[in-house]
Amino acid sequence: MAGSVNPARSEWDVIVVGGAPPGETISLYSSQAGLSVALVEQDKVGGECLYWACMPSKAMLLPVQLRNLAIDTPGVRQLVNGRRVDAAAVLARRDEITYHHDDTSSVDLMLRNDVDVIRGRGRLAGPRTVEVSDDGRTREITARRAVVLSPGTDAAVPPIPGLADARPWRSRDVTNMHEVPRRVVVIGGGVVACEAATWLRGLGVEELTLVFPGERLLGMKEPFVGELVLAAFEADGISVRTGTPVREVSRERVDDRGIGRRHGGEVTVTVGDGERIVADEVLVATGRVPNSRDIGLETVGVETTDRGFVEVDDHLTVPGTDWLYVLGDLTGRALLTHMGKYHARVAGEVIAARAAGRPLDERPYNPYTDLADRDGAPQVVFCDPEVASVGLTEAEALDREIPVEVVERDFAGIDGARLAREHYVGRAKLVVDNARDTLVGATFVGPGVSELLHAATVAVTGKVPVPALRHAVASFPTISEIWLYLLEQLRAQRAAA
Ligand SMILES: Cc1cc2nc3c(=O)[nH]c(=O)nc-3n(C[C@H](O)[C@H](O)[C@H](O)COP(=O)(O)OP(=O)(O)OC[C@H]3O[C@@H](n4cnc5c(N)ncnc54)[C@H](O)[C@@H]3O)c2cc1C
Ligand SMILES: NC(=O)c1ccc[n+]([C@@H]2O[C@H](COP(=O)([O-])OP(=O)(O)OC[C@H]3O[C@@H](n4cnc5c(N)ncnc54)[C@H](O)[C@@H]3O)[C@@H](O)[C@H]2O)c1
């Protein structure tokens, strides 16, 4: 069996299945707590995030944002002279960011921290038991304290006639593309679709169409988000077909030359009332399927939800057990790397406490309880303009019967925004729980707003009273002064009420 572990060894305190950042984090936490740990990874330590998702996508998005900033900045615009980014240079840098898919440094980090790395496919084979298969060989290993599952998700391919047979690009292809097709149709209007559209167009796709049945781009966010992103996409020459179902996909010549290379000849995507869009590649970006099939859940009597996720309690423990933990996307809570790493820190504390026989205390903000998912996870969508949000939207707060007051305004008149770009377009909204006078949600759209988000996350998670926020003074001239303008508007609204 490949790996760095004595093949005769068969027992550890903690066994982790899946080596993306959540799996790495809990391995380090458990090892630092003095527990012996084996991390089982079937592919590369670093996982989807490092090689196929967050990191390669951001490596392509940041140069595109920078180029857009340049063409909106007199004095720098002239240097760019209308050109798009140098795709070959951006893709080369992307490959450096993903370490050319070499996981040596991630494995070394584990080994330096006394985490044993076992290469192979892990599968539960009964309580505290994991079967690992690699290269046709299988062995069973056992955990004295905990088994942790973090096997993530895969891209969904909806049952649209002809789609699967056309071998569409999926998220791994578009994040690891080696060729820039001239014409692309993106099926979907969510996070992957919006980010991918930004870098596809930025890297030189000439005809780009997004198609999906929903009303708005990023439909789960505040309504103004989709409107502003749509306007920016259309201004950049991207065609967006909202409210448009995809009927059929066909491709005469299928020739899958591997991830990130064209998978065949022309593709025809039939949409709406029969309109046919012809492209060189079609990308499917319609959500994720959890990797819960064939990980042996049935051997310990655990069922998945209808969508294939595994429900856990707020200690990230599978109910009815004190040894089986689930982290990251497989929980279905928030499909985000930072939330998976947060799960790992919470579960890491729980495992260490249980191993030491310490009770899990129930005080507010104790380290053993996942609070952040309940209040709404922070997320940045790195299209241009960026979208940054945390907590509940107004609609979600109303659904929870929270007495809501909202304040919403654009960035006009804010000197930091005038300085940031010649034509800064952005908008922000705070959702306030009127009874408690604390924020329950915040959304920002605009260039550079990702850096505004953590202040909002602190305010929401810390339940900072609005009167206290008034004393948190934003520096001049930054775009953070949006906070000042929103709070002043709230004050005026209240005075007028
Ligand atoms: C295109 C794209 C961009 C994204 N960008 C961002 C972003 O900017 N920020 C953000 O927060 N989130 C982003 N996400 C989401 C983020 O990638 C996921 O939330 C995160 O990777 C989830 O971590 P995970 O541990 O649950 O699973 P994964 O990252 O999917 O990792 C699972 C690991 O487990 C391994 N594995 C699976 N089954 C087994 C098994 N049976 N045995 C052994 N090993 C196994 C896999 O090989 C893999 O290494 C993005 C997602 C996509 C698709
Ligand atoms: N920056 C980030 O934080 C980041 C970036 C990328 C992905 N992610 C994570 O990855 C997850 C998956 O992203 P995603 O964009 O694949 O899913 P999503 O849930 O964000 O969006 C799915 C989109 O597909 C559309 N859709 C669904 N079925 C369809 C069909 N049959 N035909 C056409 N359109 C259809 C939906 O209307 C929606 O617009 C997200 O939950 C997100 O948390 C995060």
Side-chain angles (χ1 to χ4, degrees):
M1 180 153 305
S4 53
V5 181
N6 173 1
R9 180 164 183 182
S10 65
E11 194 175 58
W12 282 263
D13 291 322
V14 179
I15 297 173
V16 179
V17 177
E24 292 177 294
T25 303
I26 197 153
S27 298
L28 296 176
Y29 250 64
S30 299
S31 175
Q32 282 155 12
L35 301 169
S36 60
V37 187
L39 172 61
V40 182
E41 169 55 56
Q42 64 183 8
D43 189 0
K44 292 182 198 316
V45 178
E48 200 70 16
C49 174
L50 180 47
Y51 307 102
W52 307 105
C54 327
M55 294 301 282
S57 57
K58 270 77 245 179
M60 292 184 287
L61 284 164
L62 294 179
V64 172
Q65 290 181 339
L66 198 55
R67 177 263 183 194
N68 292 350
L69 169 63
I71 61 167
D72 207 10
T73 308
V76 184
R77 175 186 306 145
Q78 289 75 5
L79 301 176
V80 176
N81 201 14
R83 288 188 296 268
R84 297 237 167 221
V85 299
D86 176 340
V90 171
L91 297 184
R93 169 82 175 131
R94 184 261 334 258
D95 291 342
E96 274 177 30
I97 292 285
T98 57
Y99 302 109
H100 297 273
H101 291 198
D102 176 350
D103 70 353
T104 306
S105 63
S106 299
V107 172
D108 283 350
L109 176 68
M110 293 300 114
L111 300 182
R112 278 201 309 279
N113 285 277
D114 293 326
V115 173
D116 286 330
V117 176
I118 302 179
R119 302 279 190 186
R121 181 172 171 68
R123 187 177 189 287
L124 284 166
R128 293 188 168 83
T129 308
V130 174
E131 186 183 87
V132 184
S133 316
D134 184 41
D135 260 352
R137 282 168 291 173
T138 298
R139 67 160 157 156
E140 261 188 19
I141 56 178
T142 52
R144 281 183 285 262
R145 304 288 181 189
V147 175
V148 184
L149 302 177
S150 194
T153 54
D154 201 358
V157 178
I160 294 169
L163 179 60
D165 290 342
R167 301 283 299 164
W169 269 15
R170 307 195 303 161
S171 56
R172 284 187 166 205
D173 295 288
V174 73
T175 57
N176 277 266
M177 64 183 192
H178 300 292
E179 306 168 348
V180 181
R182 194 177 72 76
R183 301 166 296 177
V184 177
V185 172
V186 178
I187 301 178
V191 187
V192 172
C194 287
E195 288 191 348
T198 306
W199 80 71
L200 285 168
R201 181 76 180 123
L203 266 61
V205 171
E206 290 170 25
E207 292 175 24
L208 180 57
T209 310
L210 269 64
V211 190
F212 60 102
E215 240 181 272
R216 280 188 306 270
L217 291 169
L218 299 168
M220 69 303 261
K221 309 276 181 194
E222 294 285 4
F224 69 89
V225 170
E227 289 157 19
L228 289 182
V229 174
L230 174 69
F233 278 7
E234 288 184 339
D236 197 27
I238 300 171
S239 166
V240 180
R241 310 286 173 85
T242 56
T244 308
V246 178
R247 305 284 178 203
E248 191 183 354
V249 175
S250 65
R251 180 175 234 166
E252 262 180 38
R253 186 175 59 79
V254 174
D255 173 21
D256 188 340
R257 292 180 297 120
I259 289 181
R261 305 203 177 272
R262 278 186 59 188
H263 287 181
E266 274 188 355
V267 199
T268 303
V269 182
T270 307
V271 304
D273 294 334
E275 182 194 355
R276 291 151 67 91
I277 308 172
V278 178
D280 300 302
E281 202 46 81
V282 58
L283 167 67
V284 60
T286 56
R288 312 290 298 173
V289 181
N291 290 326
S292 54
R293 292 171 312 262
D294 201 28
I295 52 166
L297 290 168
E298 69 290 352
T299 67
V300 291
V302 174
E303 288 184 0
T304 62
T305 65
D306 290 350
R307 297 181 54 206
F309 295 109
V310 177
E311 278 177 359
V312 285
D313 64 21
D314 284 342
H315 304 308
L316 284 311
T317 312
V318 173
T321 78
D322 62 356
W323 62 272
L324 184 57
Y325 298 80
V326 177
L327 313 177
D329 286 5
L330 187 60
T331 64
R333 291 187 170 203
L335 279 62
L336 296 163
T337 291
H338 47 272
M339 296 311 290
K341 292 199 298 178
Y342 166 73
H343 294 163
R345 295 192 293 274
V346 171
E349 296 280 9
V350 173
I351 291 171
R354 285 181 174 151
R358 288 195 307 271
L360 306 182
D361 79 56
E362 297 294 332
R363 284 171 301 176
Y365 301 116
N366 71 70
Y368 310 111
T369 307
D370 172 358
L371 299 174
D373 278 302
R374 190 180 317 148
D375 287 344
Q379 179 175 37
V380 176
V381 185
F382 292 86
C383 44
D384 192 2
E386 288 179 338
V387 177
S389 57
V390 63
L392 308 178
T393 61
E394 180 181 0
E396 287 167 339
L398 289 171
D399 271 355
R400 291 199 195 178
E401 298 183 353
I402 294 173
V404 157
E405 183 177 11
V406 298
V407 57
E408 181 176 332
R409 78 180 310 284
D410 62 29
F411 280 73
I414 296 174
D415 286 314
R418 279 203 321 126
L419 284 165
R421 292 223 178 176
E422 191 178 23
H423 307 97
Y424 191 101
V425 178
R427 194 163 184 82
K429 176 171 178 175
L430 301 179
V431 181
V432 179
D433 175 339
N434 229 342
R436 296 194 163 85
D437 209 12
T438 57
L439 297 195
V440 291
T443 300
F444 306 91
V445 180
V449 296
S450 51
E451 296 302 341
L452 296 180
L453 185 60
H454 197 58
T457 305
V458 171
V460 170
T461 308
K463 301 188 177 4
V464 180
V466 168
L469 286 176
R470 292 179 56 80
H471 296 278
V473 181
S475 296
F476 181 84
T478 65
I479 58 170
S480 287
E481 279 208 306
I482 187 73
W483 282 96
L484 164 65
Y485 283 70
L486 287 163
L487 292 170
E488 286 299 291
Q489 187 167 316
L490 184 63
R491 176 172 171 266
Q493 268 173 218
R494 287 177 171 181

